[in-house]
Amino acid sequence: MILPGPDQLAEAGARRPPLRSPRQLAGGLVVLAALALALLVGAAPALAQTGEGVRGTLNNAGERVAGATIVVEQDGEEVATAESDDQGQFSIPLPAPGAYTVTLDLDSLPEGVSVREDGGEVREVTVRPGAVAPALFILGEGTRETTGTAERALQLFVRGLQFGLVIAMGAIGLSLIFGTTGLTNFAHAEFLTGGAFAAYVFNVTLGMNLIPATVLAVLVGAVFGGLLDRGLWRPLRRRGTGLIAALVVSIGLALVLRYLFLYFFGGSSRSYAQYATQQPLNLGPISIPPRDLVIMALTVIVLTVVGIGLQRTRIGKATRAVADNPSLAASSGIDVERVINVVWVVGTALAALGGVFLALSQQVSYLLGFQILLLLFAGVTLGGIGTAFGALVGSLVIGVFTQMSTLVIPAELQNVGALLVLIVILVVRPQGILGRAERVG
Amino acid sequence: MDFGVIFNNTGNALLNAEALYLALAAIGLNVHFGYTGLLNFGQVGFLAVAAYGLGVGVTYLGLGFFPSILLGLALAVLLALLLGIPTLRLRADYLAIVTIASSEVIRLVARSAALRDVTGGSSGLTGFANGFYSMNPLSDGRYGFGPFVYNENRAFLLLVGWTLVVLSSLLVFMLMRSPWGRVLKAIREDEDAVRSLGKNVVGYKMQSLVLGGVLGALGGFVFAIANSSIQPDNYGTLLTFYAYTALILGGTARIFGPVVGSIVFIGLFVFLENFLVQAIRAGFIPETIMNSNQVGIVRGILVGAGLMLLMIYRPQGIFGDKKELALDAR
């Protein structure tokens, strides 16, 4: 593990420019990212690294059941088998997050012991990335052991906040690009995937630590965004290409990028060399890996910096002016093309950082971004299209809602709930939660 | 390189089921997007509800073939109403987001374990197509000429399907010549102007959404019957994007645009696949660049790039008229 030394950090801090333009902001963000990730490194080494799995305890009226066979299947294929130990406990490592069927072999139980309900020997378990999911088998009578609903709700709420913050990293760029250019960019989710893969190349292929790799990935994202605007979108704006035509172009771009990732990296999921799996910390009722705490802190810092940049800096004010009325902004001397270019740079840089964060909790795959594309749109629309702060609020609502809805609906349907909320909100409040009430039709 | 195989496979695909259901989906999209200017990015949702209406009707509800078809059509109409009520008053991009979201909702709900008894969950449904094939008047054998040779069941499906394509195109042609169709085109050009003339714009848009959705539903039936199975993951957003590509390739707001576009699109698709496979086999493309497992990936890249280039350099497609192409956000 190559840690950035104190002198390197000090150097980075000294070179940090005053926060004036988003382009410089992006540089500042990179440094902040490095600093906070360095904190993570300080906290991490003592912790053992574990992967996804299922665990549980077989408890028959206070008596632990040893030697029972537990089989884990996915899509009808056996993934793993294990036996409970002397304490009646079992812990089965699994290769990847996903939905699993955990079955307790009734024949392996001692005589007179069975599950309390018919079909209680089969449990559908959703294993979240980096998490060990509990599989609860209720044996005999009066042995129910479960975490309280309130506790679970709190845990899911925190998880939802984190997910929402990561969505916001993508949604704000999407929203700013829409606000300044009118482009509904279907390729934005691919920028998250791109950032995650760029970090993967630096981290695993080139053997760098994840922290400098993330910084480089954000830079790659920023450069890519700037070049994409110069090379593709600006010529299209010059030609007077309509917004819908540009939207279809962005769909084509998304297909190209997604299949390029598939071509170069294949269809399998990959993990980063560091921080991919961590033992969760127990903070009161909440158990959370330290990595996730750092991710949350970082996203809050980054998003605050972007927010302040939009409110206070010259280029931020210019961005809002262009979003409000491009012609008026241009006639009052604002270089609209430059503003748009800066928005692309910052938007893709944010997306790249969000992609790395997302990949840390979900693994890198070519579908990483595409899987949350609709949640990005939902966050943007929910908050009010074209407003950066709205995108943040909308993303948080979507993140918390998708996680907490699993209290009442199956986890495989969590995105359905979020999308239905989007549709309902559009009926009631089409301008979004924070959007200005205006005639939109 | 065996060019005989390449051209035979490509020719066979031109009239086969993929081009057929893509054409029906694109004709529906043409009504939405080409004539009314509605940005429907969830066309595959109409195909999905129709297919599941047929499949669930036959296998779960025990209805006959035709009642199940009616069920599928009713579901498509219902979906159009559900999508239209919240979004048709809003800006065009809202409809785009809501439709793409709803098509994913349909797929995710259909493949959920909770509905395994009804929809078959992630493994889908089979055993509903017999009602259709039992009506086949053709006796066993091979029908057709040149590369267009199909067995009796496929030939029957293609006859029925392409008849539907012709009838649908005729219907759209007549409707778009009618006063009703002129109102739709006027809405596409300037919605506010139409509203100021006292027309019920939302009502017209809704009728267009229902009509295009029902045409897409026909494509859903063909898709399901051709495969004799319904796989929920076949109804992902990619199919909608293919339908858009086919429509734009042929020319939006043109009667034969979606049909010719679908045939050409599928032809290019199958040609590329066969060509690449043959070129790899003959050693023209070294294994280090691409192996035969990566043909689908390279084809995906080329489809995306083709869609971009088409939209940039020839947005009116093969038949299109640039004047009819008011591709601008509303």
Side-chain angles (χ1 to χ4, degrees):
Chain A
M1 218 181 262
I2 309 155
L3 302 178
D7 49 346
Q8 282 166 293
L9 285 175
E11 198 188 338
R15 268 192 280 117
R16 199 168 122 200
L19 300 178
R20 225 176 281 124
S21 76
R23 210 185 295 233
Q24 286 165 331
L25 282 184
L29 299 184
V30 168
V31 175
L32 280 173
L35 280 171
L37 272 172
L39 294 177
L40 169 70
V41 182
L47 299 162
Q49 309 238 319
T50 57
E52 289 88 9
V54 291
R55 63 176 167 77
T57 305
L58 299 176
N59 189 344
N60 179 33
E63 187 186 323
R64 303 299 166 108
V65 179
T69 309
I70 292 104
V71 182
V72 184
E73 291 173 321
Q74 186 173 40
D75 297 332
E77 279 179 43
E78 189 174 311
V79 182
T81 315
E83 286 192 2
S84 58
D85 63 13
D86 297 343
Q87 295 303 306
Q89 292 175 338
F90 61 93
S91 178
I92 308 169
L94 293 172
Y100 292 92
T101 310
V102 185
T103 311
L104 174 62
D105 185 358
L106 293 181
D107 296 335
S108 69
L109 292 173
E111 263 184 58
V113 179
S114 187
V115 288
R116 228 162 55 166
E117 296 166 41
D118 277 352
E121 74 275 17
V122 180
R123 287 283 176 258
E124 304 284 341
V125 174
T126 302
V127 181
R128 278 169 215 291
V132 177
L136 189 69
F137 297 106
I138 303 163
L139 307 178
E141 274 182 78
T143 58
R144 202 177 171 81
E145 261 186 333
T146 177
T147 48
T149 312
E151 216 168 86
R152 222 180 122 218
L154 196 62
Q155 175 87 36
L156 287 173
F157 180 75
V158 173
R159 220 178 259 158
L161 275 186
Q162 188 208 340
F163 190 43
L165 284 168
V166 173
I167 295 177
M169 299 285 279
I172 287 185
L174 189 64
S175 185
L176 281 176
I177 289 167
F178 179 86
T180 46
T181 67
L183 171 70
T184 311
N185 181 18
F186 273 79
H188 203 79
E190 261 49 61
F191 301 162
L192 276 88
T193 322
F197 270 123
Y200 180 84
V201 168
F202 291 123
N203 178 230
V204 177
T205 316
L206 301 178
M208 296 166 91
N209 184 275
L210 185 58
I211 295 164
T214 305
V215 173
L216 286 175
V218 171
L219 286 177
V220 168
V223 170
F224 179 74
L227 291 180
L228 193 66
D229 182 49
R230 287 282 163 86
L232 178 65
W233 300 115
R234 186 149 80 175
L236 285 185
R237 285 195 296 274
R238 289 246 170 92
R239 288 166 66 110
T241 305
L243 292 179
I244 291 177
L247 186 160
V248 179
V249 172
S250 84
I251 291 174
L253 178 65
L255 288 177
V256 170
L257 290 175
R258 200 181 311 146
Y259 280 108
L260 277 176
F261 294 138
L262 183 59
Y263 178 79
F264 285 111
F265 297 99
S268 57
S269 298
R270 297 141 183 264
S271 309
Y272 291 128
Q274 293 93 30
Y275 319 119
T277 51
Q278 281 185 331
Q279 190 72 31
L281 290 175
N282 287 313
L283 306 172
I286 302 160
S287 104
I288 184 169
R291 171 193 76 210
D292 288 3
L293 284 177
V294 176
I295 289 178
M296 286 170 78
L298 268 180
T299 46
V300 169
I301 294 169
V302 167
L303 297 176
T304 313
V305 170
V306 171
I308 293 174
L310 276 174
Q311 290 296 326
R312 296 286 164 81
T313 62
R314 248 183 110 72
I315 187 85
K317 286 177 184 167
T319 305
R320 287 186 294 133
V322 172
D324 206 41
N325 188 333
S327 323
L328 190 60
S331 65
S332 55
I334 292 172
D335 184 348
V336 175
E337 282 300 329
R338 191 175 150 259
V339 168
I340 290 175
N341 199 253
V342 170
V343 164
W344 270 97
V345 169
V346 175
T348 43
L350 284 174
L353 186 57
V356 178
F357 288 163
L358 192 65
L360 265 174
S361 51
Q362 293 196 352
Q363 293 192 311
V364 196
S365 83
Y366 78 105
L367 287 175
L368 178 80
F370 181 66
Q371 280 164 346
I372 67 155
L373 174 66
L374 289 179
L375 296 183
L376 288 182
F377 277 121
V380 170
T381 316
L382 208 53
I385 291 184
T387 65
F389 192 58
L392 171 63
V393 174
S395 304
L396 284 179
V397 171
I398 290 292
V400 170
F401 190 86
T402 47
Q403 295 295 328
M404 293 200 67
S405 63
T406 56
L407 281 174
V408 280
I409 60 172
E412 62 180 345
L413 291 180
Q414 58 181 1
N415 290 356
V416 172
L419 297 176
L420 288 179
V421 167
L422 168 71
I423 295 173
V424 169
I425 295 229
L426 279 182
V427 184
V428 185
R429 202 176 152 78
Q431 72 271 30
I433 298 171
L434 291 182
R436 233 173 343 171
E438 61 176 331
R439 207 182 148 81
V440 285
Chain B
M1 296 263 294
D2 190 344
F3 280 97
V5 172
I6 297 176
F7 286 116
N8 202 48
N9 288 348
T10 306
N12 187 274
L14 292 180
L15 293 184
N16 213 329
E18 285 77 27
L20 177 52
Y21 65 73
L22 198 64
L24 284 165
I27 292 172
L29 265 189
N30 200 20
V31 173
H32 293 155
F33 175 66
Y35 289 109
T36 326
L38 297 174
L39 262 189
N40 170 19
F41 275 106
Q43 182 71 347
V44 70
F46 289 103
L47 275 74
V49 292
Y52 272 103
L54 171 63
V56 170
V58 172
T59 59
Y60 182 74
L61 301 176
L63 303 172
F65 178 74
F66 284 109
S68 300
I69 291 279
L70 284 181
L71 176 67
L73 290 175
L75 285 174
V77 172
L78 186 69
L79 176 65
L81 295 176
L82 283 177
L83 288 179
I85 289 167
T87 52
L88 287 183
R89 291 170 197 281
L90 305 175
R91 240 174 15 214
D93 34 357
Y94 284 92
L95 182 70
I97 292 167
V98 168
T99 45
I100 195 173
S102 67
S103 75
E104 278 295 279
V105 167
I106 290 165
R107 183 178 71 85
L108 290 171
V109 169
R111 79 191 300 283
S112 73
L115 284 177
R116 183 163 289 164
D117 292 342
V118 184
T119 62
S122 56
S123 46
L125 287 173
T126 51
F128 53 83
N130 297 338
F132 177 79
Y133 289 124
S134 65
M135 290 182 287
N136 190 353
L138 302 172
S139 50
D140 290 7
R142 323 261 318 150
Y143 293 84
F145 59 91
F148 310 108
V149 175
Y150 309 97
N151 69 19
E152 70 284 354
N153 277 345
R154 186 47 61 97
F156 177 50
L157 176 68
L158 294 180
L159 278 177
V160 174
W162 287 110
T163 309
L164 282 176
V165 168
V166 170
L167 291 177
S168 306
S169 298
L170 201 64
L171 175 73
V172 172
F173 174 70
M174 294 198 306
L175 281 174
M176 293 309 150
R177 273 165 52 98
S178 73
W180 183 83
R182 286 201 294 276
V183 174
L184 286 194
K185 286 197 237 180
I187 290 174
R188 181 190 68 193
E189 298 302 326
D190 190 340
E191 192 180 316
D192 292 328
V194 177
R195 195 175 280 123
S196 69
L197 290 172
K199 302 287 185 192
N200 177 4
V201 169
V202 174
Y204 278 96
K205 281 184 177 177
M206 184 67 91
Q207 290 156 17
S208 159
L209 197 61
V210 170
L211 174 66
V214 166
L215 292 174
L218 299 180
F221 296 136
V222 172
F223 193 5
I225 293 172
N227 292 337
S228 290
S229 75
I230 302 169
Q231 301 291 330
D233 292 337
N234 282 344
Y235 296 86
T237 49
L238 205 56
L239 189 56
T240 304
F241 296 152
Y242 285 164
Y244 262 97
T245 311
L247 174 61
I248 295 167
L249 184 64
T252 42
R254 278 285 182 266
I255 293 300
F256 290 116
V259 182
V260 174
S262 300
I263 294 173
V264 173
F265 177 74
I266 290 290
L268 285 174
F269 209 77
V270 175
F271 174 80
L272 268 177
E273 179 175 343
N274 280 280
F275 180 80
L276 290 173
V277 167
Q278 292 286 341
I280 291 169
R281 207 170 281 166
F284 292 133
I285 301 176
E287 287 272 328
T288 46
I289 294 179
M290 183 174 36
N291 60 40
S292 49
N293 295 330
Q294 289 175 311
V295 165
I297 302 174
V298 172
R299 195 183 55 184
I301 297 173
L302 293 174
V303 168
L307 183 59
M308 287 172 75
L309 293 175
L310 189 66
M311 211 61 227
I312 295 170
Y313 293 108
R314 202 173 161 81
Q316 72 272 37
I318 299 170
F319 287 134
D321 176 357
K322 257 192 162 161
K323 280 185 214 139
E324 273 244 48
L325 197 79
L327 283 174
D328 215 355
R330 252 170 300 270

